[in-house]
Amino acid sequence: MVRAAFFSVQFIPVNRSLDDILRVLQPSLDTPDAKRHKPNTTTKAGSALGSALKKKAPPGPVYEKGIEYWDGVDASVNGVLGGYGEGPVPHIEQLSSRLLLLSLIPSLSPFPNPLTPSPTLKTLPTHRRTVLDVGAGIGRVSRHVLLPLFDDVVLLEPVDKFVREGYRAASSGEWRDLPIQNGDDEEQKRRLEQQQRDTKDGKGRGKRVRFVKRGLQNLDPKYPVDDQAEEIGLVSSPRGEVNGEGGCMEDEVLYDVIWCQWCLGHMNHEDLVNFLRKAKKALREGEDHYIFVKENCCDDAPGGVGQEFLDEEDSSLTRSHQKWVDCFIEAGLTVKREEIQQGMPDELFVVKT
């Protein structure tokens, strides 16, 4: 549920044959309102290592403290991104994520484009393509990255006001891919007509988002609505209702993609590894199904040893690159690819994909 004020390290472990990393380190202490800052790299003694990295790592995050912190943050893009929501950061970040998805799963694109000039999928798969978005906040990533590419989204978020704001915006027609019948609203009419044409031409089935209030602790992704969850509601475009079999409404949900962004820092090592193992089992069979993890990353300890430290303000762990890799290996996942993203503000750490 960590919604940092900047882009972070994204690792993309894969169940079968492919994996990816998207990694972003941290922004500077001089950045106002940023949730994750670059550590102070000088001390009075002139040390080149931030004092936070010298401390012995505390036992782990306290889940209730994390919820309490985010309860005090505005339920808006600017709030969850720590003041960067009104600048270029969300647009750059969202575009990067969509391009990454399309590069790994070209069949998500129903038409030729520079990234996938010859889409490999000529007809829709027999199942509704479904993605799980955990620690989803107000649904920014679901709305701008995932829903345009998938049929169904299961959106999980433990902070009540965040998940309810996402549901409100989606059900009122603010999400482009969930148009509603709304009187004389010409834009809504145009979007509805486009979905109907796409469905007729075999390019889509309509869209659905299932909003669920739930944290990640003890979560089995196959069963997102368990006795620890509260189902907020389902938002569907008209065509999604017509073509509504399976997908996010199955008793046991299987996913094409599981997306974890700025949220896994609220899990200790044992909980994180257990979640990743269950997430792996919740993926569909085949090579085009992935777990994406996008998180903040600090420096490794001397010798390239993985390490982590606790941010007591929001009770979340910041892990180093090697620490993330260690978690993935322990969970039975593999990391395959790294890329550097260009175009982020200078005060922020490098974005690594």
Side-chain angles (χ1 to χ4, degrees), residues 306-317:
Q307 66 175 348
E308 60 190 23
F309 66 89
L310 183 69
D311 182 333
E312 295 186 1
E313 183 181 8
D314 71 346
S315 193
S316 69
L317 288 171

Side-chain angles (χ1 to χ4, degrees), residues 303-347:
V305 177
Q307 66 175 348
E308 60 190 23
F309 66 89
L310 183 69
D311 182 333
E312 295 186 1
E313 183 181 8
D314 71 346
S315 193
S316 69
L317 288 171
T318 300
R319 297 177 170 95
S320 71
H321 173 93
Q322 187 57 48
K323 187 66 175 179
W324 281 110
V325 174
D326 293 343
C327 292
F328 299 147
I329 292 173
E330 189 173 341
L333 302 170
T334 307
V335 177
K336 295 252 182 184
R337 190 172 91 193
E338 296 186 12
E339 298 174 357
I340 299 293
Q341 176 171 314
Q342 305 299 318
M344 299 299 284
D346 291 340
E347 67 267 22

Side-chain angles (χ1 to χ4, degrees), residues 26 29 36-43 47-58 298-302 307-313 316-320:
Q26 310 151 315
L29 285 171
R36 288 281 182 269
H37 302 135
K38 289 181 182 178
N40 186 354
T41 55
T42 59
T43 66
S47 170
L49 184 63
S51 59
L53 302 184
K54 293 181 179 178
K55 297 177 181 178
K56 184 178 179 180
C298 61
D299 293 332
D300 289 327
Q307 66 175 348
E308 60 190 23
F309 66 89
L310 183 69
D311 182 333
E312 295 186 1
E313 183 181 8
S316 69
L317 288 171
T318 300
R319 297 177 170 95
S320 71

Side-chain angles (χ1 to χ4, degrees), residues 7-13 19-25 92-104 115 259 261-262 291-295 297 321 325 328 335-344 349-353:
F7 207 68
S8 61
V9 183
Q10 172 171 334
F11 297 92
I12 305 165
D19 293 305
D20 276 90
I21 300 177
L22 238 188
R23 185 186 68 182
V24 158
L25 301 176
I92 294 170
E93 186 270 321
Q94 289 155 194
L95 177 61
S96 174
S97 295
R98 287 181 68 169
L99 291 175
L100 179 59
L101 275 162
L102 288 170
S103 69
L104 288 171
L115 190 63
W259 191 277
Q261 180 164 343
W262 290 327
I291 300 169
F292 291 76
V293 178
K294 189 180 215 173
E295 289 289 346
C297 188
H321 173 93
V325 174
F328 299 147
V335 177
K336 295 252 182 184
R337 190 172 91 193
E338 296 186 12
E339 298 174 357
I340 299 293
Q341 176 171 314
Q342 305 299 318
M344 299 299 284
F349 267 70
V350 173
V351 176
K352 204 167 188 179
T353 306

Side-chain angles (χ1 to χ4, degrees), residues 8-265:
S8 61
V9 183
Q10 172 171 334
F11 297 92
I12 305 165
V14 152
N15 184 16
R16 299 284 166 186
S17 60
L18 289 175
D19 293 305
D20 276 90
I21 300 177
L22 238 188
R23 185 186 68 182
V24 158
L25 301 176
Q26 310 151 315
S28 115
L29 285 171
D30 297 328
T31 305
D33 299 324
K35 182 66 204 76
R36 288 281 182 269
H37 302 135
K38 289 181 182 178
N40 186 354
T41 55
T42 59
T43 66
K44 291 182 179 179
S47 170
L49 184 63
S51 59
L53 302 184
K54 293 181 179 178
K55 297 177 181 178
K56 184 178 179 180
V62 178
Y63 175 68
E64 291 78 12
K65 286 187 66 177
I67 296 293
E68 181 181 358
Y69 172 83
W70 289 107
D71 273 336
V73 172
D74 288 342
S76 65
V77 173
N78 205 45
V80 298
L81 291 183
Y84 283 102
E86 296 177 354
V89 170
H91 306 289
I92 294 170
E93 186 270 321
Q94 289 155 194
L95 177 61
S96 174
S97 295
R98 287 181 68 169
L99 291 175
L100 179 59
L101 275 162
L102 288 170
S103 69
L104 288 171
I105 316 175
S107 60
L108 287 174
S109 176
F111 50 83
N113 59 74
L115 190 63
T116 55
S118 299
T120 58
L121 188 66
K122 302 304 180 182
T123 60
L124 292 174
T126 56
H127 68 279
R128 291 183 65 89
R129 281 186 155 175
T130 303
V131 56
L132 173 65
D133 185 8
V134 299
I138 61 173
R140 180 185 65 89
V141 173
S142 286
R143 176 179 180 176
H144 296 291
V145 178
L146 303 177
L147 191 58
L149 301 178
F150 293 87
D151 299 317
D152 286 0
V153 178
V154 178
L155 185 155
L156 261 65
E157 168 57 42
V159 176
D160 186 78
K161 68 178 181 180
F162 286 173
V163 68
R164 293 187 187 279
E165 168 57 21
Y167 178 74
R168 181 208 63 77
S171 59
S172 63
E174 293 179 18
W175 289 28
R176 185 182 185 281
D177 291 281
L178 292 172
I180 61 174
Q181 300 282 2
N182 189 16
D184 297 328
D185 190 323
E186 293 299 324
E187 174 61 17
Q188 296 285 355
K189 286 183 180 179
R190 185 192 66 78
R191 287 154 52 190
L192 282 168
E193 291 170 357
Q194 182 62 53
Q195 276 203 359
Q196 291 169 352
R197 287 194 296 269
D198 288 346
T199 302
K200 183 178 179 181
D201 295 340
K203 296 180 181 179
R205 297 186 176 94
K207 307 286 186 174
R208 300 185 305 186
V209 182
R210 189 179 188 181
F211 289 83
V212 181
K213 179 184 173 183
R214 202 210 190 280
L216 288 177
Q217 282 71 12
N218 304 312
L219 172 70
D220 185 339
K222 287 184 179 181
Y223 310 101
V225 183
D226 58 11
D227 57 4
Q228 298 182 43
E230 177 185 354
E231 183 143 24
I232 304 301
L234 177 73
V235 181
S236 175
S237 65
R239 302 311 302 174
E241 294 172 358
V242 172
N243 300 279
E245 302 83 5
C248 68
M249 300 308 294
E250 291 277 12
D251 293 334
E252 181 179 300
V253 185
L254 294 177
Y255 303 96
D256 297 87
V257 162
I258 294 176
W259 191 277
C260 317
Q261 180 164 343
W262 290 327
C263 61
L264 300 185

